[in-house]
Amino acid sequence: LATGGRSTCIRLWDVATGEERLCLPEAGLCWSLAFSPDGKRLAVSSISSPVRVYDADTGKLERVFRSRSKSQELNGYSAGAAFTPDGKTLVGWNYSDTITAWDVGTGAEKRAMPVEAGGSQNTMLLSPDGRTVLLTDGIRVPENEVYLWDVATGARVRTLPTQGAMWKRAAYSPD
């Protein structure tokens, strides 16, 4: 189990004993945490720093992934991160204008997907099969739409209207 938030560290816990196993340094407000499918890595995203991937057993920083942004202020930051089911790709979002897919092994950028949704997104989710990334737009009125991109091609594949409702969160079903 990993926990984070507005703190000086990300904590990894042994749930069976309730003991803290590790405290990973945190540079700002932790926005999301994601374990690799095999549980060996932990991706940490923060609105004020790039995605960092740690060895979940030792706490050693393995790699830093920097998102691109049109805004110099947000260049390198990430507010969301998720591993694909095979653990080979990490998908991140910079809370503004870009979703990025990286090769976990090399750190190379596979693709950058421009977000033309107004810069007011709240949640990034990766589908259970790792093929589609979703962003909710829960601030702009009346749009408040949900946007989906194909991770392999980078193309936006769908926009789901919310009929004016403010959708800030979403969840995929396992199927």
Side-chain angles (χ1 to χ4, degrees):
L1 173 68
T3 60
R6 191 175 300 274
S7 177
T8 57
C9 76
I10 303 300
R11 288 182 168 76
L12 277 75
W13 303 89
D14 181 322
V15 176
T17 66
E19 298 291 318
E20 181 180 308
R21 291 190 318 102
L22 291 170
C23 180
L24 308 174
E26 176 52 35
L29 176 62
C30 173
W31 205 259
S32 77
L33 300 167
F35 280 101
S36 59
D38 63 7
K40 294 182 179 181
R41 294 183 170 107
L42 177 68
V44 177
S45 68
S46 169
I47 233 147
S48 59
S49 61
V51 177
R52 283 117 31 236
V53 173
Y54 294 92
D55 180 297
D57 289 326
T58 66
K60 179 182 177 212
L61 179 64
E62 289 187 353
R63 195 172 303 278
V64 175
F65 296 87
R66 297 186 186 281
S67 292
R68 285 197 246 168
S69 178
K70 294 176 192 172
S71 164
Q72 194 60 22
E73 179 183 336
L74 294 173
N75 211 15
Y77 295 177
S78 190
F83 288 95
T84 54
D86 64 5
K88 294 180 180 179
T89 301
L90 180 68
V91 177
W93 159 57
N94 70 356
Y95 198 69
S96 179
D97 57 24
T98 309
I99 300 167
T100 307
W102 297 280
D103 182 291
V104 173
T106 67
E109 181 181 292
K110 290 182 165 186
R111 106 191 4 81
M113 296 162 257
V115 174
E116 302 293 339
S120 62
Q121 296 73 37
N122 283 276
T123 300
M124 183 203 88
L125 289 175
L126 191 60
S127 62
D129 64 8
R131 295 180 185 169
T132 307
V133 64
L134 169 150
L135 287 180
T136 63
D137 181 1
I139 296 174
R140 294 184 315 144
V141 177
E143 292 90 348
N144 298 321
E145 294 170 327
V146 176
Y147 305 94
L148 296 101
W149 284 265
D150 182 294
V151 173
T153 67
R156 189 158 86 182
V157 294
R158 193 158 322 325
T159 300
L160 305 175
T162 64
Q163 292 81 32
M166 188 179 285
W167 290 7
K168 290 189 173 192
R169 305 294 176 248
Y172 278 104
S173 69
D175 60 356

